[in-house]
Amino acid sequence: MEHTHLQSKQKKIDRTKIICLSICFLTLVIGLIPYLCIRTSSTYISSFFEMFFHFEKITLDEDGLLYILITSFFSDFCWAFAMPFALFAFTDGNYSKKFYILCMPIIGTVLEFLQFLGVFSGVGDLFDAIIYFIASFFGYITIERRVLSWQ
């Protein structure tokens, strides 16, 4: 009887990992789209993919709010939203809520600060750090309220 209970628990963990990693992967791919199809400036990411594929750029007014939101914040939001899913899958959900919510914002804020100091290329934007926190929070809430309820 105990053996069956352990197998059932392991199946739930495996199913949760698959769901979390699938959501993580899908969100990362969605966050990649602005780099490939909208941004006019070349980035390491777009340069890498352009070696293998050609992407038609969508023309938007570069001074417009929509362009700024999509190219400056949307991808960061997607990547920060994906992080709790990856962490949850790789740690089997064994850490506290604070870990999943704060890990990405802390790492992201440090990277933004290093950009600000000129260690890495980039702007070093405080708004990005805020986006990391909001997205990580929503990612964790999605895990807690949706993914875990699917078990």
Side-chain angles (χ1 to χ4, degrees):
M1 181 101 174
E2 182 66 29
H3 190 294
T4 306
H5 176 70
L6 290 174
Q7 285 178 331
S8 175
K9 186 176 179 180
Q10 185 60 43
K11 284 182 182 179
K12 285 182 182 179
I13 291 171
D14 290 344
R15 183 171 180 232
T16 302
K17 280 184 178 183
I18 290 169
I19 292 169
C20 283
L21 290 175
S22 298
I23 292 170
C24 176
F25 178 76
L26 181 64
T27 307
L28 291 173
V29 169
I30 291 169
L32 185 62
I33 292 170
Y35 280 88
L36 302 178
C37 299
I38 297 173
R39 276 193 144 183
T40 54
S41 60
S42 184
T43 62
Y44 293 118
I45 295 169
S46 61
S47 298
F48 173 77
F49 280 98
E50 286 171 358
M51 291 188 307
F52 305 103
F53 308 103
H54 173 72
F55 295 94
E56 282 296 319
K57 299 287 185 184
I58 297 170
T59 306
L60 294 175
D61 176 20
E62 290 186 28
D63 295 324
L65 180 62
L66 182 61
Y67 180 85
I68 292 168
L69 289 174
I70 290 173
T71 60
S72 298
F73 301 114
F74 179 74
S75 294
D76 290 339
F77 185 92
C78 288
W79 297 337
F81 182 83
M83 179 67 106
F85 290 94
L87 292 172
F88 198 87
F90 290 117
T91 62
D92 294 329
N94 289 328
Y95 290 93
S96 74
K97 180 192 300 188
K98 290 177 189 170
F99 173 77
Y100 297 107
I101 293 174
L102 295 177
C103 189
M104 179 61 197
I106 290 170
I107 292 169
T109 301
V110 168
L111 292 174
E112 291 295 326
F113 185 68
L114 292 173
Q115 287 178 4
F116 178 76
L117 294 176
V119 175
F120 296 118
S121 64
V123 178
D125 192 356
L126 176 64
F127 290 115
D128 285 347
I130 294 168
I131 291 294
Y132 298 146
F133 177 77
I134 293 169
S136 294
F137 177 76
F138 280 118
Y140 180 78
I141 294 300
T142 303
I143 292 169
E144 189 176 75
R145 299 219 173 131
R146 294 288 179 230
V147 174
L148 294 179
S149 69
W150 294 336
Q151 292 187 13

